[in-house]
């Protein structure tokens, strides 16, 4: 039985009925509450049953649906639902799957969309406990953690299965009516032959070997884990998953697939998962500020993943290598400067062994170039895209046939030259007969533009006119010579259909942005950085423009570049943060209590104690004269409790930090003792006095 169809008016009538008649004891709710306009609470399941009774004459019966379904149904009708935050424990053995959550139903695993994992472990029959050995960059306590743990434990047995056994291995079945999703595959390509879907996990082992299976919500791989226990486990072995209900902001909109029919990889954009993502899109440049240890850097990476995946996920590790090209990360420090960030001269060893210098782009300029290329390509018509593809193919075929440093070409003036190297940006040529200039660097893009155009080039003057110059440069003679050679050897290119490039968003993350000398790093880019001057309208000449192949070409930041900075408010270098830069960024404060979910990996008991101590310490900090919320301690410090005791965390991390905060204040020892007492430090108070005295 599903939730009965009732209208919003029927629900309002039911609330009036409950007001007049009350709620039977067996129908009172302990989990969710519907809030009426007066602030009164009502049990959601019972309200729906009463509405069905009043509208359809049915008996008042709540047995056909669970509390979660009732909650979601009423929320969709526009009612406000509150609830008690509880944690649940799911246990999987080879015989059964049980949960402390009364709403859990193995025949309705789609309910997993409503929950997030807090921890998972495997316990053998003899009491041995095994937890996930996280790989570098792997997200802690995600929907993929439980199946990854199963792979970790049974990797040897799973590898021993035949190809047929792997392809038929049960993975997921959302309900008895839906199809059984099967298959452990060696690559994403093989997976997609059976499931046209991006809902999968990759487990890597050995060198470049993989297991790929379907994975979506927190319950989607219960069948897989139980099948592993049935085949490879011992009686009494079990997996235990701890989870909680999603908060409002965490609730995912996509529904899980109901069967094994091919699933489209095209995703409908339903908004971003993280509310800060929308703020970045609106403002172009934001800076997360706040107390140390509040997870600002981790949040920046989450936002990057959220935006680049179009709200599909916020786990940075899930981005493909191609998607990661849309993200760049840098950390500022006092020695960082313009040459690192934008461009500068760098030493190089010449072919003859001598030392020289060459102009190289910095990390930000290279990143912006990728974004600019995408932005400009996305604006091009189908015809232009196809012409460019043909020109690029001609250039690639030509250079593939050339023996660098050996094959000789000549200009219209009979100057002979060879090509020594070539890439997407430059063509290096050697001119042995020229005593003045025996080496020259050509711009590959100029040659590409000539080949893409419909213009006719019969002399160097035509090249000069094509680029809008009054006088020819030396490079144009060699461009013209190479153009003729490519045209001469190129076979007629079959016109290929090439899809126009999709506009992408690019995220640049600057960690500890206030630790660098902003004016020295950004230079003239302040203007181009302004959200109101993005694109060619904000183009500027860089400091080394005179050394560029085309000195007249200016630098600009396109519309599809978004910048996230992070900074600690208490850092002494904040005072020197450039005011011209301040007005180009939107500043968002991240408070100490906002990112407590990062402690979920500690386990229930340790997490609760960590939050209690952190809250008590932070309350004592803001009571201290001359200190405020900017000096509070964030949850990131307490993540160290995975390896330390509470006392070790105090003596080795928190105590030195707090002593630095209060240095020079009156009665430092008394203040430190209050901090230690609030935190619950068990050491000798004399030890705190000694440390304060030494500081």
């Amino acid at each position: 039985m599903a939730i009965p169809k009732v209208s919003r008016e029927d629900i309002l009538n039911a609330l009036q009925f409950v007001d007049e008649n009350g709620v039977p004891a067996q129908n009172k709710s302990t989990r969710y509450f519907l809030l009426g306009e007066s602030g009164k609470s009502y049990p959601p399941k019972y309200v729906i049953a009463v509405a069905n009774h009043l509208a359809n004459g049915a008996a008042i019966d709540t047995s056909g649906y669970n509390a979660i379904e009732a909650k979601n149904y009423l929320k969709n009708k526009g009612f406000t639902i509150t609830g008690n935050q509880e944690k649940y424990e799911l246990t999987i053995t080879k015989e059964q799957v049980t949960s402390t959550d009364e709403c859990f139903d193995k025949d309705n695993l789609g309910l997993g969309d409503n929950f997030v994992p807090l921890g998972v472990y495997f316990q053998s029959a003899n009491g041995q406990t095994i937890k996930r050995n996280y790989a570098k960059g792997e997200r802690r306590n995600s929907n993929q953690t439980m199946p990854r743990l199963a792979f970790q434990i049974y990797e040897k047995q799973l590898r021993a299965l035949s190809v047929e056994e792997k392809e038929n291995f049960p993975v997921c079945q959302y309900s008895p009516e839906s199809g059984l999703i099967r298959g452990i595959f060696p690559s994403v390509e093989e997976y997609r032959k059976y499931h046209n879907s991006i809902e999968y996990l990759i487990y890597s082992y050995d060198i470049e070997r993989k297991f790929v299976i379907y994975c979506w919500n927190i319950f989607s791989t219960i069948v897989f884990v139980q099948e592993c226990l049935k085949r490879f486990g011992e009686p009494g072995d079990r997996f235990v998953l701890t989870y909680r209900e999603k908060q409002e902001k965490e609730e995912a909109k996509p529904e899980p697939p109901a069967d094994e029919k091919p699933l489209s990889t095209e995703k409908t954009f339903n908004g971003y998962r993280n509310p800060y993502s929308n703020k970045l899109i609106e403002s172009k440049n934001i800076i997360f500020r706040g107390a140390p240890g509040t997870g600002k850097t981790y949040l920046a990476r989450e936002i990057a993943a959220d935006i680049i995946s179009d709200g599909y996920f916020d786990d940075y590790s899930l981005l493909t290598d191609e998607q990661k090209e849309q993200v760049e990360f840098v950390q500022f420090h006092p020695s960082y400067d313009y040459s690192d960030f934008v461009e500068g001269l760098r030493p190089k060893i010449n072919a003859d062994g001598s030392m020289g210098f060459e102009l190289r782009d910095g990390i930000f300029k290279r990143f912006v170039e990728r974004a600019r290329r995408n932005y400009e390509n996305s604006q091009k018509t189908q015809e232009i895209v196809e012409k460019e593809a043909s020109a690029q193919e001609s250039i690639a075929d030509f250079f593939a046939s050339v023996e660098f440093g050996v094959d000789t070409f000549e200009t219209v003036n009979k100057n002979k030259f060879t090509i020594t190297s070539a890439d997407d940006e430059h063509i290096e040529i050697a001119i042995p007969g020229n005593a003045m200039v025996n080496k020259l660097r050509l711009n590959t893009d100029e040659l590409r533009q000539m080949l893409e155009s419909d213009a006719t080039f019969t002399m160097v003057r035509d090249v000069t006119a094509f680029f809008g110059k009054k006088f020819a440069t030396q490079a144009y003679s060699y461009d013209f010579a190479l153009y003729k050679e490519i045209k001469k050897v190129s076979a007629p290119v079959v016109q290929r259909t090439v899809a126009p490039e999709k506009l992408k968003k690019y995220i640049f993350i600057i960690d500890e942005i206030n630790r660098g000398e902003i004016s020295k790093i950004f230079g003239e880019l302040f203007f181009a950085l302004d959200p109101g001057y993005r694109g060619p309208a904000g183009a500027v000449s860089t400091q080394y423009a005179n050394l560029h192949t085309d000195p007249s070409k200016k630098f600009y930041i396109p519309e599809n570049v978004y910048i996230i900075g992070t900074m600690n408010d208490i850092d002494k270098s904040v005072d020197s943060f450039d005011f011209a830069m301040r007005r180009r960024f939107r500043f968002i404060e991240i408070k100490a209590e906002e990112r407590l979910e990062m402690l979920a990996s500690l386990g229930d008991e340790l997490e609760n104690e960590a939050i209690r101590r952190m809250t008590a310490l932070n309350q004592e900090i803001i009571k201290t004269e001359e200190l405020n919320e900017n000096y509070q301690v964030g949850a990131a410090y307490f993540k160290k409790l995975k390896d330390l005791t509470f006392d070790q965390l105090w003596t080795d991390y928190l105590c030195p930090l707090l002593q630095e905060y209060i240095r020079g204040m009156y009665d430092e020892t008394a203040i430190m003792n209050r901090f230690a007492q609030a935190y619950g430090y068990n050491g000798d108070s004399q030890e705190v006095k000694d440390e304060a005295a030494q500081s």
Side-chain angles (χ1 to χ4, degrees):
M1 176 181 172
I3 290 184
K5 294 182 178 179
V6 292
S7 66
R8 181 179 174 83
E9 184 178 352
D10 295 331
I11 300 294
L12 294 173
N13 291 335
L15 296 182
Q16 185 177 349
F17 177 94
V18 173
D19 286 339
E20 295 171 355
N21 299 279
V23 179
Q26 69 272 18
N27 293 121
K28 291 184 177 179
S29 176
T30 59
R31 184 166 184 173
Y32 302 116
F33 306 95
L34 186 159
L35 291 182
E37 292 182 355
S38 64
K40 184 178 178 179
S41 298
Y42 302 84
K45 288 180 64 178
Y46 184 68
V47 168
I48 292 174
V50 170
N52 186 37
H53 167 71
L54 297 175
N56 305 315
I60 300 178
D61 181 11
T62 62
S63 62
Y65 46 92
N66 62 42
I68 295 175
E69 292 169 330
K71 177 205 72 169
N72 292 338
Y73 186 83
L74 291 171
K75 285 181 69 174
N76 290 334
K77 292 288 185 183
F79 292 95
T80 301
I81 307 294
T82 62
N84 296 321
Q85 274 300 317
E86 294 183 44
K87 296 175 184 176
Y88 308 101
E89 193 170 271
L90 179 85
T91 303
I92 307 174
T93 66
K94 62 172 59 181
E95 294 85 13
Q96 61 182 359
V97 180
T98 59
S99 175
T100 57
D101 176 15
E102 63 181 15
C103 294
F104 175 78
D105 184 359
K106 191 172 182 290
D107 292 333
N108 187 8
L109 298 184
L111 290 175
D113 281 347
N114 298 284
F115 301 97
V116 291
L118 298 177
V120 63
Y121 63 88
F122 168 83
Q123 190 171 64
S124 65
N126 61 14
Q128 180 188 12
T129 298
I130 301 175
K131 294 187 177 181
R132 174 78 181 119
N133 294 327
Y134 289 102
K136 184 178 180 181
E138 181 180 340
R139 187 177 184 182
R140 270 58 174 166
N141 296 325
S142 72
N143 291 348
Q144 299 186 1
T145 303
M146 184 167 68
R148 286 181 184 276
L149 179 59
F151 276 124
Q152 174 185 318
I153 294 169
Y154 299 119
E155 179 182 313
K156 183 178 180 181
Q157 294 92 325
L158 290 167
R159 291 171 62 179
L161 295 177
S162 66
V163 173
E164 183 177 357
E165 287 174 317
K166 289 176 183 174
E167 290 179 353
N168 288 292
F169 202 98
V171 174
C172 175
Q173 187 169 22
Y174 283 103
S175 69
E177 295 77 29
S178 65
L180 176 61
I181 300 176
R182 299 175 180 270
I184 303 173
F185 303 95
S187 67
V188 174
E189 291 72 23
E190 286 298 314
Y191 169 88
R192 284 181 170 161
K193 290 179 182 178
Y194 295 83
H195 312 288
N196 186 21
S197 161
I198 58 174
E199 289 116 27
Y200 57 80
L201 75 80
I202 301 173
Y203 178 89
S204 300
Y205 64 97
D206 285 351
I207 301 176
E208 298 183 355
R209 302 191 69 183
K210 299 180 178 69
F211 288 137
V212 182
I213 65 169
Y214 174 86
C215 181
W216 180 234
N217 70 33
I218 188 175
F219 296 152
S220 61
T221 53
I222 285 177
V223 172
F224 168 77
V225 172
Q226 189 173 37
E227 186 68 17
C228 287
L229 286 168
K230 289 178 180 178
R231 296 196 189 196
F232 316 124
E234 298 293 334
D237 288 354
R238 61 178 185 153
F239 283 83
V240 178
L241 171 70
T242 307
Y243 61 99
R244 64 168 172 81
E245 191 169 352
K246 287 181 178 178
Q247 304 285 347
E248 181 97 17
K249 63 182 179 180
E250 294 174 311
E251 291 183 1
K253 296 183 180 180
E255 292 292 330
D259 51 39
E260 203 181 357
K261 293 178 182 178
L263 304 171
S264 172
T265 57
E266 292 296 323
K267 307 186 295 292
T268 301
F269 179 62
N270 293 313
Y272 296 117
R273 291 170 173 259
N274 196 308
Y276 294 120
S277 299
N278 291 313
K279 293 182 179 181
L280 177 62
I281 296 300
E282 293 165 1
S283 307
K284 299 288 188 186
N285 309 324
I286 64 175
I287 288 179
F288 290 124
R289 67 178 185 86
T294 51
K296 298 180 287 293
T297 303
Y298 187 82
L299 175 60
R301 289 164 67 90
E302 278 187 346
I303 291 171
D306 187 22
I307 291 175
I308 289 169
S309 69
D310 284 333
Y312 198 62
F313 55 80
D314 59 6
D315 184 349
Y316 184 82
S317 66
L318 296 180
L319 293 176
T320 64
D321 290 341
E322 182 181 356
Q323 288 175 319
K324 286 179 180 176
E325 289 293 308
Q326 295 169 240
V327 185
E328 195 62 80
F329 180 94
V330 68
Q331 188 177 68
F332 280 3
H333 52 78
S335 299
Y336 207 76
D337 64 12
Y338 185 90
S339 62
D340 300 306
F341 195 65
V342 185
E343 63 183 6
L345 294 173
R346 287 287 184 261
K348 61 169 288 189
I349 298 177
N350 298 316
D352 59 3
S354 63
M355 181 70 75
F357 289 88
E358 66 177 351
L359 183 64
R360 290 185 191 172
D361 290 339
I363 188 170
F364 184 67
K365 191 177 180 185
R366 292 195 302 270
F367 176 79
V368 169
E369 177 61 24
R370 294 201 299 270
R372 183 193 62 78
R373 202 159 44 235
N374 167 257
Y375 183 85
E376 293 179 353
N377 289 342
S378 70
Q379 310 300 310
K380 294 173 181 175
T381 64
Q382 180 81 22
E383 181 183 3
I384 292 175
V385 171
E386 290 175 352
K387 281 184 178 180
E388 289 181 349
S390 297
Q392 186 63 38
E393 189 173 321
S394 297
I395 291 174
D397 290 345
F398 172 72
F399 286 128
S401 66
V402 171
E403 187 174 353
F404 291 160
V406 176
D407 292 344
T408 303
F409 308 94
E410 66 178 22
T411 66
V412 291
N413 294 327
K414 305 302 181 183
N415 290 324
K416 297 185 182 299
F417 67 96
T418 62
I419 300 172
T420 57
S421 68
D423 57 31
D424 289 340
E425 295 184 0
H426 301 108
I427 304 167
E428 306 284 350
I429 64 173
I431 316 167
N434 191 326
M436 297 291 293
V437 181
N438 60 5
K439 292 179 182 178
L440 193 63
R441 172 181 284 185
L442 308 180
N443 191 330
T444 307
D445 192 54
E446 290 181 348
L447 186 59
R448 188 181 297 115
Q449 290 179 48
M450 293 169 65
L451 291 166
E452 290 168 5
S453 73
D454 294 323
T456 301
F457 300 95
T458 57
M459 58 185 70
V460 176
R461 185 183 303 168
D462 296 331
V463 180
T464 307
F466 177 75
F467 288 111
K469 304 292 184 182
K470 290 184 179 180
F471 304 102
T473 65
Q474 183 184 18
Y476 288 165
S477 297
Y478 297 95
D479 284 338
F480 180 55
L482 291 177
Y483 171 83
K484 290 193 299 178
E485 289 294 330
I486 293 173
K487 282 291 189 180
K488 184 168 60 178
V489 301
S490 295
V493 178
V494 178
Q495 195 75 11
R496 296 183 291 113
T497 301
V498 182
E501 191 169 335
K502 179 184 175 183
L503 180 63
K504 301 175 183 177
K505 296 179 175 65
Y506 288 73
I507 317 293
F508 194 87
I509 301 172
I510 306 173
D511 194 33
E512 302 195 31
I513 187 171
N514 53 307
R515 292 193 64 232
E517 190 175 329
I518 300 301
S519 298
K520 183 176 72 172
I521 295 171
F522 281 89
E524 66 285 335
L525 298 195
F526 278 16
F527 180 73
L529 198 67
D530 195 306
Y533 293 99
R534 292 292 177 88
V540 296
S541 293
T542 57
Q543 292 180 21
Y544 294 90
N546 61 312
L547 298 181
H548 295 171
T549 306
D550 181 3
S552 65
K553 187 176 181 179
K554 295 188 176 183
F555 174 83
Y556 70 86
I557 302 174
E559 291 281 350
N560 58 337
V561 170
Y562 302 85
I563 301 173
I564 304 175
T566 71
M567 59 185 277
N568 291 331
D569 281 340
I570 61 171
D571 194 310
K572 292 180 173 59
S573 56
V574 174
D575 294 337
S576 64
F577 198 75
D578 199 291
F579 279 100
M581 183 64 82
R582 280 182 183 272
R583 70 179 183 84
R584 288 170 168 82
F585 278 84
R586 178 177 181 175
F587 285 73
I588 300 173
E589 183 180 10
I590 305 298
K591 296 184 177 180
E593 68 274 10
E594 287 187 34
R595 303 282 294 165
L596 297 181
E597 64 271 17
M598 70 176 74
L599 299 179
S601 60
L602 297 178
D604 296 351
E605 186 176 343
L606 196 58
E607 176 191 0
N608 292 334
E609 180 63 13
I611 292 174
R612 187 192 67 77
R613 292 192 185 212
M614 186 185 83
T615 303
L617 176 59
N618 283 335
Q619 287 174 348
E620 191 62 41
I621 288 173
I622 60 176
K623 290 178 185 177
T624 304
E625 191 176 354
E626 298 184 39
L627 300 184
N628 54 36
E629 289 183 345
N630 296 332
Y631 290 82
Q632 290 185 326
V633 177
Y637 280 99
F638 289 81
K639 291 181 69 176
K640 295 176 172 53
L641 291 170
K642 286 186 288 188
D643 305 305
L644 303 175
T645 65
F646 279 104
D647 282 0
Q648 288 172 329
L649 179 63
W650 172 263
T651 57
D652 298 349
Y653 290 92
L654 299 179
C655 185
L657 176 71
L658 295 171
Q659 286 172 344
E660 190 63 30
Y661 285 176
I662 66 171
R663 185 186 300 276
M665 290 186 185
Y666 175 75
D667 203 359
E668 294 179 29
T669 300
I671 296 174
M672 285 304 302
N673 281 334
R674 290 202 302 272
F675 289 162
Q677 185 177 2
Y679 173 80
Y681 175 58
N682 295 322
D684 185 0
S685 61
Q686 183 62 42
E687 184 179 339
V688 177
K689 294 179 183 178
D690 293 343
E691 289 176 354
Q694 290 171 9
S695 67

